[in-house]
């Protein structure tokens, strides 16, 4: 990560690495669905509608989707984070309605992972398995927290329940889990804190 940051001239600035959705190769599903982000492939979050800077990069909500459920997160034009859930499978009208709501809410950039951890200041995830985790939550308008949980061993990391409660202790009203494990990283002013598993 540090090499890519320095190569693009972003060193000595606040940078956060988040594993979520990005630019997507149109209509690409298979053994893994591949996402093109800065010329690097990853298969983290399959979501039917991809928005980047307010532009629709892909919208296959009306098609038969491989999974039974998808989560999309986005910042609405009113300044609040929101989670959107697609039924998945072959539900063209329901899935399209979710995609249309995301667009009408003014979301500029979509990202996806699961589960949702906090809604209306209440924990909604109670799984107790531990791992190294990343989370993103909102306290109020223009006040967000990115959490990187770095431990030497994954078994010492947060459970979803603990991460949700930690978000609430910070005053977060809405909170999501992001990708974690060995890919968890936080870079601040060229200092790298990465997970070791």
């Amino acid at each position: 990560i540090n090499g890519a940051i320095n190569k693009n001239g972003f060193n000595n600035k606040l940078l956060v690495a988040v594993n979520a959705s990005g630019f997507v190769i149109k209509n690409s599903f298979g053994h893994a669905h591949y996402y093109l982000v800065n010329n690097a492939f990853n298969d983290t979050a399959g979501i039917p509608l991809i928005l980047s800077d307010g532009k629709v990069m892909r919208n296959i909500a009306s098609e038969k989707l491989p999974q039974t459920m998808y989560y999309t997160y986005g910042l609405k034009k009113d300044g609040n984070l929101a989670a959107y859930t697609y039924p998945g499978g072959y539900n063209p009208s329901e899935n399209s309605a979710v995609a249309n709501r995301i667009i009408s809410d003014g979301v500029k950039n979509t990202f996806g992972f699961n589960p949702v951890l906090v809604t209306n200041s209440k924990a909604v995830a109670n799984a107790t398995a531990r791992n190294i985790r990343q989370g993103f939550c909102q306290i109020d308008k223009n006040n967000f927290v990115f959490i990187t949980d770095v431990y030497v061993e994954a078994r010492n990391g947060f459970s979803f329940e603990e991460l949700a409660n930690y978000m609430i202790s910070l005053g977060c009203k809405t909170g999501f889990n992001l990708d974690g494990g060995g890919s968890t990283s936080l870079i601040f002013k060229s200092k790298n804190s990465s997970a070791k598993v």
Side-chain angles (χ1 to χ4, degrees), residues 42-143:
N42 67 78
D43 60 358
T44 48
I47 54 178
L49 173 70
I50 303 292
L51 293 170
S52 178
D53 253 350
K55 294 180 183 176
V56 176
M57 306 303 294
R58 180 182 76 170
N59 186 356
I60 57 168
S62 63
E63 300 176 20
K64 185 174 182 180
L65 305 176
Q67 298 177 20
T68 56
M69 188 174 290
Y70 295 82
Y71 296 93
T72 295
Y73 309 145
L75 183 65
K76 302 189 294 182
K77 61 187 171 188
D78 66 6
N80 290 306
L81 276 176
Y84 303 86
T85 306
Y86 295 86
Y90 190 61
N91 295 289
S93 60
E94 292 93 337
N95 287 326
S96 292
V98 174
N100 290 336
R101 190 164 73 254
I102 294 170
I103 293 170
S104 68
D105 280 349
V107 172
K108 284 194 170 182
N109 297 284
T110 53
F111 60 106
F113 215 76
N114 64 76
V116 177
L117 300 178
V118 176
T119 301
N120 296 322
S121 302
K122 294 186 189 245
V124 292
N126 55 17
T128 57
R130 294 176 177 275
N131 206 331
I132 295 166
R133 308 216 182 262
Q134 292 182 99
F136 186 62
C137 62
Q138 180 177 26
I139 296 173
D140 50 37
K141 192 171 182 179
N142 299 322
N143 192 358

Side-chain angles (χ1 to χ4, degrees), residues 116-126 135-140 145 147 158-176:
V116 177
L117 300 178
V118 176
T119 301
N120 296 322
S121 302
K122 294 186 189 245
V124 292
N126 55 17
F136 186 62
C137 62
Q138 180 177 26
I139 296 173
D140 50 37
V145 179
I147 299 164
F158 273 125
S159 68
F160 286 144
E161 181 178 44
E162 289 168 336
L163 184 53
N165 287 326
Y166 181 64
M167 289 176 171
I168 291 168
S169 76
L170 297 174
C172 291
K173 297 172 186 173
T174 306
F176 311 132

